[in-house]
């Protein structure tokens, strides 16, 4: 009997190996693959313009001073590391609601929606986690299974929505031949969208182009959304990176809360994270907010979010959310954070201007760089030119020509501009 059992186990193990051997090799992540190639490069002048994380003028990652102070406070006062609730704790949820929907005298509509109990907020695993959770939720409960995303959009959007069971299609957004917003085609493609479908909107600092709509353009787009009865899903990963102030960068949200409060828009959802504007990348601290039609609907939606999240990851991590809570609960820390954020954005804007000044404009119009906002510049360089920059000059960027300008500093801006000029003008 023992021999038979041993033979069976050997056979079973071999069978499992054969099945695993059928798994194909997945293609590498485009952005993470760039970082891996950069690390292996031995050129002392190498530049990494791929990763979307802030670097200081010395090319080093930072921790916001306000975040450091919050962590010191937590070290002294924190008394437990217990699980938080499935959708986070109430204090974090209230902070998020007020941060996004009720942060100034301009936000009477948001304040009313909060008072009426029509906004459901849930802590999630940063921005990507919030997108995945809302995608799963829409697939379960929303009538349409199609989501329209701008072309181009963040590289991970399509995978997140598709893996959750939604069908992703593009709407026009950017004209690569003119290096500008393709506004007329944008409106036309949304007018042609299937009624009641989901539409993804970038709140500010559109990734990857950095090209945002004006307030007047948003008004027209929102009119189309109302006419087509589209469900708006807002991705707000870079709140604060357009102007330096998180409260100046939510014009789209204010417009939508007004429409919802007036009954012209029934509902919308928003995904947000503190990864960029607090530098909490690895803490994975983000949220979903769903503006609902009624308090009863909000109660039902919250219960289903809990049911969805529970078997997925049970509950979110707490350290990042406690940092957020600590900063928002202390006025001095809060003002320090706003100053930290403004300095970060100020450096990025300064780097953008320096690069623009040093680029040769005799054969190429670089004016679009100064129209774009946020952490990226969408250069308009071809894939061949980007590859040449990588192979000849050790400048690493995604092949769509998107540069993360936080990788540029006083020590490398001349080298970078010279390399670009050589590639463009050859």
């Amino acid at each position: 009997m023992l021999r038979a059992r041993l033979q069976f186990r050997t056979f079973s193990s071999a069978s499992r190996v054969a099945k695993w051997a059928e798994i194909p090799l997945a293609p590498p992540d485009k952005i993470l693959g760039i970082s891996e190639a950069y690390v292996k490069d031995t050129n002392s002048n190498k530049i990494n313009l791929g990763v979307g994380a802030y670097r200081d003028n010395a090319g080093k990652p930072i921790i916001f001073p306000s975040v450091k102070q919050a962590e010191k406070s937590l070290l002294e006062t924190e008394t437990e590391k217990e699980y938080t609730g499935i959708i986070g704790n109430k204090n974090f949820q209230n902070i998020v609601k007020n941060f996004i929907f009720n942060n100034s005298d301009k936000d009477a509509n948001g304040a009313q929606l909060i008072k009426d109990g029509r906004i459901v907020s849930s802590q999630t695993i940063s921005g990507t986690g919030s997108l995945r959770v809302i995608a799963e939720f829409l697939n379960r409960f929303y009538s349409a299974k199609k989501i329209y995303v701008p072309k181009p959009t963040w590289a991970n959007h399509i995978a997140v929505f598709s893996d959750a069971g939604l069908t992703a299609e593009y709407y026009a957004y950017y004209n690569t031949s003119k290096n500008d917003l393709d506004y007329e085609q944008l409106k036309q493609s949304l007018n042609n969208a299937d009624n009641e479908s989901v539409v993804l909107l970038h709140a500010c600092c559109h990734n990857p182009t950095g090209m945002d709509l004006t307030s007047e353009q948003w008004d027209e787009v929102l009119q189309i959304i109302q006419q087509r009865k589209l469900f708006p899903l807002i991705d707000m990963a870079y709140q604060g990176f357009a102007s330096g102030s998180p409260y100046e960068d939510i014009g789209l949200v204010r417009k939508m809360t007004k429409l919802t409060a007036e009954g012209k828009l029934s509902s919308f959802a928003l995904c947000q994270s503190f990864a960029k504007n607090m530098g909490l990348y690895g803490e994975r601290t983000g949220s979903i907010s769903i503006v609902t039609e009624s308090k009863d609907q909000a109660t039902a939606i919250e219960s289903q979010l809990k049911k969805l999240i529970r078997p997925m990851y049970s509950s979110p991590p707490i350290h990042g959310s406690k940092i957020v809570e600590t900063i928002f609960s202390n006025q001095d820390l809060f003002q320090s954070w706003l100053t930290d954020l403004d300095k970060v954005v100020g450096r990025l804007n300064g780097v953008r201007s320096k690069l623009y000044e040093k680029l040769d404009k005799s054969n190429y119009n670089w004016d679009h760089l100064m129209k774009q906002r946020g952490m990226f510049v969408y250069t308009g360089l071809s894939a061949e030119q980007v590859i040449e920059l990588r192979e000849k000059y050790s400048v690493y960027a995604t092949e769509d020509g998107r540069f993360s300008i936080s990788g540029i500093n006083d020590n490398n801006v001349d080298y970078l501009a010279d390399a670009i000029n050589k590639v463009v003008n050859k």
Side-chain angles (χ1 to χ4, degrees), residues 157-168:
H157 274 144
I158 298 294
V160 168
F161 298 136
S162 299
D163 281 7
L166 300 179
T167 300

Side-chain angles (χ1 to χ4, degrees), residues 80-259:
E80 47 81 23
K81 294 286 188 182
E82 294 289 310
Y83 296 118
T84 189
I86 296 173
I87 58 173
N89 68 61
K90 288 294 182 184
N91 187 36
F92 180 83
Q93 293 163 21
N94 290 334
I95 284 170
V96 165
K97 288 177 186 177
N98 286 295
F99 177 52
I100 298 173
F101 300 101
N102 182 30
N103 50 62
S104 76
D105 55 6
K106 301 177 183 178
D107 296 319
N109 294 300
Q112 188 62 48
L113 290 171
I114 294 172
K115 183 179 179 182
D116 292 344
R118 290 179 57 186
I119 301 180
V120 178
S121 288
S122 170
Q123 186 187 340
T124 55
I125 303 178
S126 203
T128 306
S130 66
L131 288 163
R132 182 56 184 262
V133 169
I134 192 62
E136 296 276 1
F137 185 81
L138 290 169
N139 188 40
R140 290 189 186 189
F141 297 105
Y142 190 62
S143 56
K145 308 304 178 189
K146 183 180 290 185
I147 180 167
Y148 290 90
V149 303
K151 185 177 183 180
T153 194
W154 179 48
N156 208 21
H157 274 144
I158 298 294
V160 168
F161 298 136
S162 299
D163 281 7
L166 300 179
T167 300
E169 291 190 13
Y170 287 110
Y171 64 87
Y173 191 86
Y174 193 79
N175 187 324
T176 54
S177 64
K178 296 181 179 179
N179 286 320
D180 204 352
L181 190 71
D182 198 359
Y183 184 58
E184 292 306 316
Q185 287 299 313
L186 186 159
K187 290 190 294 181
Q188 185 62 48
S189 56
L190 287 182
N191 266 314
N192 293 334
D194 293 347
N195 277 359
E196 299 184 353
S197 293
V198 185
V199 59
L200 178 73
L201 308 172
H202 293 228
C204 62
C205 303
H206 178 271
N207 182 3
T209 70
M211 196 71 75
D212 292 338
L213 277 68
T214 66
S215 178
E216 293 75 19
Q217 288 171 333
W218 274 126
D219 286 336
E220 292 185 330
V221 167
L222 290 174
Q223 187 64 37
I224 295 170
I225 286 173
Q226 293 171 71
Q227 292 168 353
R228 305 299 294 179
K229 296 182 173 60
L230 302 177
F231 180 86
L233 171 58
I234 304 175
D235 188 355
M236 190 165 66
Y238 292 92
Q239 183 185 3
F241 271 74
S243 66
S245 166
Y247 301 127
E248 294 297 321
D249 290 356
I250 54 173
L252 173 60
V253 180
R254 289 192 174 114
K255 289 177 183 295
M256 295 184 76
T257 53
K258 182 175 185 294
L259 290 173

Side-chain angles (χ1 to χ4, degrees), residues 202-342:
H202 293 228
C204 62
C205 303
H206 178 271
N207 182 3
T209 70
M211 196 71 75
D212 292 338
L213 277 68
T214 66
S215 178
E216 293 75 19
Q217 288 171 333
W218 274 126
D219 286 336
E220 292 185 330
V221 167
L222 290 174
Q223 187 64 37
I224 295 170
I225 286 173
Q226 293 171 71
Q227 292 168 353
R228 305 299 294 179
K229 296 182 173 60
L230 302 177
F231 180 86
L233 171 58
I234 304 175
D235 188 355
M236 190 165 66
Y238 292 92
Q239 183 185 3
F241 271 74
S243 66
S245 166
Y247 301 127
E248 294 297 321
D249 290 356
I250 54 173
L252 173 60
V253 180
R254 289 192 174 114
K255 289 177 183 295
M256 295 184 76
T257 53
K258 182 175 185 294
L259 290 173
T260 307
E262 293 172 348
K264 297 176 181 177
L265 191 69
S266 60
S267 179
F268 69 93
L270 182 148
C271 296
Q272 169 269 350
S273 87
F274 291 99
K276 275 74 176 181
N277 59 24
M278 278 193 184
L280 298 179
Y281 301 100
E283 299 295 353
R284 313 306 292 143
T285 307
S287 72
I288 301 168
S289 294
I290 304 175
V291 181
T292 68
E293 298 179 52
S294 67
K295 185 175 182 179
D296 287 344
Q297 188 183 75
T299 300
I301 286 175
E302 182 177 287
S303 71
Q304 291 293 347
L305 281 175
K306 291 177 180 177
K307 184 179 179 181
L308 188 156
I309 290 170
R310 173 63 172 155
M312 189 182 291
Y313 55 84
S314 190
S315 63
I318 62 170
H319 187 66
S321 62
K322 286 186 177 181
I323 291 171
V324 173
E325 292 175 48
T326 302
I327 288 174
F328 274 81
S329 66
N330 183 303
Q331 190 59 31
D332 290 338
L333 271 182
F334 180 75
Q335 292 301 323
S336 176
W337 167 59
L338 292 178
T339 300
D340 294 340
L341 177 59
D342 188 59

Side-chain angles (χ1 to χ4, degrees), residues 366-377:
W366 290 103
D367 289 353
H368 55 285
L369 265 61
M370 300 308 295
K371 297 178 184 178
Q372 298 167 2
R373 307 191 297 175
M375 189 177 286
F376 305 110
V377 293

